[in-house]
Amino acid sequence: MRQINPLFLTGTLGMLFTSMFHILMAAMTSEETAAAAFWMLYPVFAVVLIAGTLVMMKRKQAVKE
């Protein structure tokens, strides 16, 4: 099995854990408080996930040629 890009793994796990903690915090406090606490983490992990995906796509394309 080919190795998964660390950026892709970090982005995926970051989005997963941020979502889980957001849901837990929203259940314990108000939704506004939870949204204020996590508003910056979603775009950061989304960018990391996209960067990892692009690197993996470039690597796959280089292997085909």
Side-chain angles (χ1 to χ4, degrees), residues 1 3 6-7 10 13 19 22 24-26 31-33 35 38 42 44-46 50-55 62 64-65:
M1 184 175 143
Q3 187 176 2
L7 289 174
T10 302
L13 292 177
S19 300
H22 189 165
L24 287 173
M25 189 170 178
E31 177 61 34
E32 292 81 21
T33 304
F38 293 103
Y42 286 111
V44 169
F45 285 123
I50 291 168
T53 303
L54 291 175
V55 170
K64 282 185 177 181
E65 294 176 353

Side-chain angles (χ1 to χ4, degrees), residues 17-41:
F17 287 123
T18 300
S19 300
M20 289 179 2
F21 291 138
H22 189 165
I23 291 169
L24 287 173
M25 189 170 178
M28 292 186 277
T29 63
S30 67
E31 177 61 34
E32 292 81 21
T33 304
F38 293 103
W39 73 273
M40 191 59 187
L41 289 176

